[in-house]
Amino acid sequence: HAFTPLLREILHLADVICGNALEIKQLMDFSSNMGYNKNEQDKQRQLCTAFGFSYVITTLGAKGSSLYDFSDNSFHLSSPSPFVDQDAVVDTVGAGDSFIGALLSRRLNGDSWKDSAAFANIVAGESIKREGTQRSFPYMRDIQSLLVN
């Protein structure tokens, strides 16, 4: 592929990578020196080693998300939102976008990556209860009322 050298160069510039399970698997496949490993923590550690990432975050749909911190070799699984009943799922399109937006919003406001991911799971969980993408994203007041109750 003509873009392979450029993509490798760009990936080596990233400090944090976030993707769904399929995207993370594709990154693993992209790196020719990695064998496929089913253990989520090992996958994320291998990606950090291969590309120089400090953090790998994987969205896992109904299972929540995982976070690997290369600096201290820590692995965290964040549970899916406790406020979502699987029967209430209307549309999952846009859930990843709402996750990323919420993750970065909390991180930029000083939360740890771990706490930011847990919050992002709640936001993504609320977004799948409505149809559409942007219009399904919850307002902060909606999330705060969930957390208070």
Side-chain angles (χ1 to χ4, degrees):
H1 296 103
F3 293 109
T4 300
L6 178 60
L7 182 55
R8 284 190 195 285
E9 186 177 330
I10 291 169
L11 286 171
H12 281 283
L13 296 174
D15 188 45
V16 179
I17 195 83
C18 180
N20 62 40
L22 176 61
E23 293 163 338
I24 296 300
K25 183 187 179 309
Q26 289 171 333
L27 274 178
M28 300 264 322
D29 293 345
F30 180 71
S31 179
S32 59
N33 62 348
M34 282 191 229
Y36 184 71
N37 189 323
K38 293 183 181 181
N39 178 300
E40 195 67 35
Q41 182 175 358
D42 288 343
K43 280 192 261 184
Q44 292 178 328
R45 182 184 308 112
Q46 286 176 318
L47 284 173
C48 286
T49 302
F51 294 109
F53 305 141
S54 297
Y55 301 92
V56 176
I57 302 161
T58 307
T59 59
L60 302 169
K63 295 178 184 175
S65 63
S66 64
L67 163 70
Y68 180 74
D69 180 346
F70 191 67
S71 69
D72 65 3
N73 194 36
S74 62
F75 180 76
H76 308 280
L77 279 173
S78 292
S79 298
S81 174
F83 308 108
V84 178
D85 176 357
Q86 289 303 321
D87 295 333
V89 175
V90 174
D91 186 358
T92 60
V93 174
D97 294 333
S98 66
F99 180 92
I100 289 286
L103 176 84
L104 293 177
S105 171
R106 290 304 282 242
R107 184 68 183 131
L108 290 171
N109 281 298
D111 286 3
S112 68
W113 283 109
K114 181 182 173 184
D115 290 343
S116 297
F119 178 79
N121 284 336
I122 294 170
V123 171
E126 289 303 296
S127 77
I128 64 174
K129 293 179 181 179
R130 297 179 210 82
E131 193 173 331
T133 52
Q134 287 182 335
R135 69 176 182 257
S136 73
F137 298 172
Y139 289 96
M140 182 59 98
R141 65 178 176 266
D142 300 328
I143 300 299
Q144 288 171 332
S145 70
L146 284 174
L147 297 174
V148 170
N149 297 326

